Amino acid sequence: MLAFFGLRLIKPSICIGGFLSCTMLALLIFYAVYIKSVDELDTFYYWMAGGAAAGIIVGCLLAYCVKVGAAILAGWGGFALGLVLNEAIMWHLEYSWVFWTTNVVCMLVCAALTFKVFDHAMIMTTAVLGAYAMVRGVSCYAGHYYNEFTIIDLLKSGAIDEIDPYYWGYVGGFVVVIGVGAWYQFRARPKPTPDHPYHK
């Protein structure tokens, strides 16, 4: 839906962005508080359910504040782009700060662009976010995709020496879905109507 209809279904897309934001925030708080505990599975589900419930409410509210919601959604698209950039290129540097800097910069740039070129920014960020979600969904069943948050630790510890060749298939699929999704959204974008009274 995001990859091919992100702009046309802007309010549902924004709602998804708000939902993701609250759910991820709840999980980040959980991991910050309970990172040393290994038997807190029930607590994990409570936090996730609480974040999801808050996400539904916040997502619906953001759907009425389109500009703010669009900036948040674009930020998620930038974050997804940063994750792929890290696994495709930045992993060679093997620094955690490079990982977070790349993600944060991509988030801020994409969010800021929504206030300048709304349609183009929303098309590209929803195409990126939708493509990333599709790739990660397939990888949950097919495997051969590294966790972006642990790849630097895996490289430093020697658990892996190089990126799995199958992973590049995911990168190729990611790029293809972005291209096709963005192309389709630009083609399906409503044409602007002239303001001259003659055309009304």
Side-chain angles (χ1 to χ4, degrees), residues 146 151 154-163:
Y146 298 110
I151 188 169
L154 292 172
L155 288 165
K156 286 184 175 179
S157 66
I160 57 174
D161 296 323
E162 60 182 14
I163 297 294

Side-chain angles (χ1 to χ4, degrees), residues 79-96:
F79 188 78
L81 180 62
L83 290 176
V84 174
L85 283 175
N86 273 297
E87 282 204 337
I89 301 169
M90 302 300 183
W91 65 273
H92 292 284
L93 301 176
E94 297 186 16
Y95 290 114
S96 296

Side-chain angles (χ1 to χ4, degrees), residues 8 24 28 40 43 77 95 99 106 147 182 184 192:
R8 186 173 290 275
M24 288 297 294
L28 286 173
E40 296 288 348
T43 308
Y95 290 114
F99 171 85
C106 287
N147 185 320
Y184 180 80

Side-chain angles (χ1 to χ4, degrees), residues 159-183:
I160 57 174
D161 296 323
E162 60 182 14
I163 297 294
D164 190 328
Y166 287 103
Y167 169 76
W168 299 111
Y170 287 115
V171 173
F174 177 77
V175 173
V176 168
V177 174
I178 289 175
V180 174
W183 172 82

Side-chain angles (χ1 to χ4, degrees), residues 93-149:
L93 301 176
E94 297 186 16
Y95 290 114
S96 296
W97 67 266
V98 173
F99 171 85
W100 288 108
T101 301
T102 302
N103 288 341
V104 170
V105 168
C106 287
M107 284 181 72
L108 294 177
V109 169
C110 290
L113 284 174
T114 59
F115 295 99
K116 296 293 184 182
V117 283
F118 184 85
D119 283 6
H120 292 73
M122 287 309 300
I123 286 173
M124 292 308 301
T125 54
T126 55
V128 168
L129 189 56
Y132 179 77
M134 290 175 68
V135 166
R136 291 297 276 136
V138 171
S139 73
C140 287
Y141 297 95
H144 300 282
Y145 193 98
Y146 298 110
N147 185 320
E148 297 90 346
F149 297 96

Side-chain angles (χ1 to χ4, degrees), residues 59-74:
C60 290
L61 291 174
L62 287 176
Y64 288 97
C65 305
V66 175
K67 285 286 187 181
V68 176
I72 292 173
L73 181 65

